[in-house]
Amino acid sequence: MTSTIEVAQTITTLPDHTQLPESDGTFVKNLQEHPQSILLTDSINPILQRRHPEGNYCIGQDSGIYWRLTDPPERGAEAPDWFYVPNVPPAIDGRMRRSYVLWQELISPLIVLEFVSGDGSEERDRTPLLRTIPEERKPGKFWIYENVIRPAFYGIYEVRLARIELYHLIEDRYQLVPANERGNYSIAPLEVELGIWQGRYQNVELPWLRWWDSQGNLLLTGAERAEQERQRAEQERQRAEQERQRAEQERQRAEQERQRAELAQSQLEQLRSQLRAAGIEPQV
C-alpha cells in the first residue's frame, strides 16, 4: 500500500509549468481564432473582475492544460482555444503561467471552448484512454474533457457554420445545453450567455462568438465601451448645445419684446406730445 508520504513525495517530483513545454510546435489553423479569443477575453473581463476582486482567475487562449505525464510531455496536454479557471492566480511566483498544470492546481476550468477548423470530429471524439503498451493511442478530446479535465462547461464553436454546441457536466456526463429564447446558451454560475453575434470586430465583418448578460445585453469590449461613452458624451454635448440655443432664442425673443414695448411707449409719448401741442390733454 502506498503511504501518504510516498504520494506527497511523488507529487513533489512531478514537473510544474516552468518545466513543461509551452508549445507543441503547431500553429493556429484559422486566422479568426486569435481575434476571436481576444474578443471573448476582453468583453468578459469586467464580469470576472467583479467576481474576483482580488484578481484570482486565469484565462487561457490556445494554452496548454496538462492532465497527464507522458513522454513527450505535450502528448499529455490539451490546448483549448479559450478557457477560464476561477480561484487561481494568473501568475505563480511572479511569473506568468506558461501552461495550466492540472495535477499542480487540482482545480478544473469552469469553461473550455474549442473553435473548430475541420469537421468537428476531433472536438467530439469520445475515444477512451486505451492502455496498449508499448504503443498507446491518445484518447479523444471530448473524452479527455469529460473524464479528466472536467470543465463544468465545454463549448464547440463551428466557425464556418456559425454554430455552437454547449455541454454542461451533470453527474459526470456532458449534457447538451438547450438554446434559450434569444438563441443563446446560459452559463448560470457566471450569469452570462454565449451566442453568435453578426458584426464588425477589428477590421472584418463576421459571425463572432460573444457573451451576453442574463438579461440579454451584449457584453462590450473595451473599445466598444469607450465608443459608447464617446457617443454618450457627444449626445450630452449636443443636448447642452440645443439647450444653449433654446436659451439664446428665448433671450432674443425677450429682447425683441422689450424693444417692441419700448417702441410702443415711445410712440405713445409722441402722440401725447402732439395732442398737448394741439391743446388737447390726453386721457391716457
Side-chain angles (χ1 to χ4, degrees):
M1 177 179 290
T2 303
S3 69
T4 303
I5 293 176
E6 288 172 329
V7 170
Q9 288 173 340
T10 301
I11 291 174
T12 58
T13 60
L14 291 173
D16 63 15
H17 75 110
T18 65
Q19 300 164 305
L20 293 164
E22 60 182 334
S23 173
D24 63 0
T26 61
F27 52 85
V28 174
K29 302 180 183 68
N30 187 306
L31 291 180
Q32 186 180 351
E33 292 184 7
H34 184 60
Q36 175 64 83
S37 295
I38 295 173
L39 173 57
L40 288 169
T41 300
D42 188 5
S43 55
I44 203 171
N45 255 328
I47 297 287
L48 299 182
Q49 288 168 6
R50 286 196 295 271
R51 184 179 175 88
H52 306 282
E54 74 293 343
N56 271 354
Y57 66 93
C58 177
I59 289 179
Q61 298 177 166
D62 202 27
S63 303
I65 299 177
Y66 279 91
W67 59 276
R68 183 168 177 252
L69 191 58
T70 58
D71 185 18
E74 52 267 31
R75 289 189 71 245
E78 287 298 327
D81 292 295
W82 194 92
F83 66 91
Y84 152 69
V85 190
N87 304 318
V88 298
I92 300 175
D93 298 328
R95 296 178 61 180
M96 249 346 242
R97 296 175 182 274
R98 290 160 50 94
S99 57
Y100 189 74
V101 184
L102 204 57
W103 61 72
Q104 192 176 22
E105 300 289 352
L106 305 179
I107 298 176
S108 294
L110 181 67
I111 310 168
V112 159
L113 298 175
E114 291 281 3
F115 309 152
V116 175
S117 293
D119 61 2
S121 57
E122 179 183 353
E123 289 75 16
R124 297 181 179 91
D125 188 351
R126 300 172 185 255
T127 303
L129 180 64
L130 302 175
R131 300 178 183 276
T132 54
I133 298 178
E135 192 64 35
E136 185 176 277
R137 179 181 173 184
K138 186 177 179 180
K141 187 170 287 191
F142 194 103
W143 186 91
I144 293 172
Y145 289 138
E146 185 177 48
N147 293 277
V148 187
I149 298 178
R150 298 172 61 77
F153 293 89
Y154 171 40
I156 301 173
Y157 173 40
E158 296 189 85
V159 178
R160 184 174 56 86
L161 301 176
R163 185 172 65 190
I164 312 166
E165 284 178 17
L166 185 68
Y167 294 88
H168 186 195
L169 194 64
I170 300 173
E171 295 182 353
D172 298 330
R173 286 293 174 267
Y174 275 136
Q175 305 291 327
L176 266 174
V177 176
N180 63 19
E181 67 279 3
R182 290 184 284 272
N184 295 338
Y185 299 85
S186 175
I187 300 175
L190 286 178
E191 298 181 338
V192 299
E193 299 172 0
L194 195 60
I196 302 294
W197 173 79
Q198 179 70 39
R200 189 174 185 85
Y201 176 65
Q202 294 189 357
N203 62 337
V204 63
E205 173 91 16
L206 284 173
W208 297 94
L209 188 62
R210 295 201 62 166
W211 308 104
W212 281 257
D213 65 21
S214 56
Q215 285 75 48
N217 301 304
L218 183 68
L219 299 187
L220 303 181
T221 65
E224 288 169 336
R225 291 192 296 273
E227 175 61 18
Q228 190 179 68
E229 286 302 314
R230 187 197 67 76
Q231 291 179 359
R232 187 179 294 117
E234 176 62 18
Q235 289 169 355
E236 287 297 324
R237 187 196 67 77
Q238 290 177 359
R239 277 196 291 270
E241 176 62 19
Q242 290 169 355
E243 287 298 322
R244 187 195 67 77
Q245 291 176 359
R246 277 195 292 270
E248 177 62 18
Q249 290 169 355
E250 288 297 324
R251 187 194 67 78
Q252 290 176 358
R253 278 195 293 269
E255 177 63 18
Q256 290 169 353
E257 288 298 324
R258 186 190 65 78
Q259 291 175 356
R260 278 195 292 270
E262 287 182 351
L263 179 60
Q265 184 65 32
S266 175
Q267 291 172 340
L268 179 60
E269 290 299 329
Q270 289 177 1
L271 178 59
R272 285 173 176 169
S273 296
Q274 291 170 356
L275 289 172
R276 289 190 185 101
I280 302 171
E281 185 62 32
Q283 300 299 312
V284 294

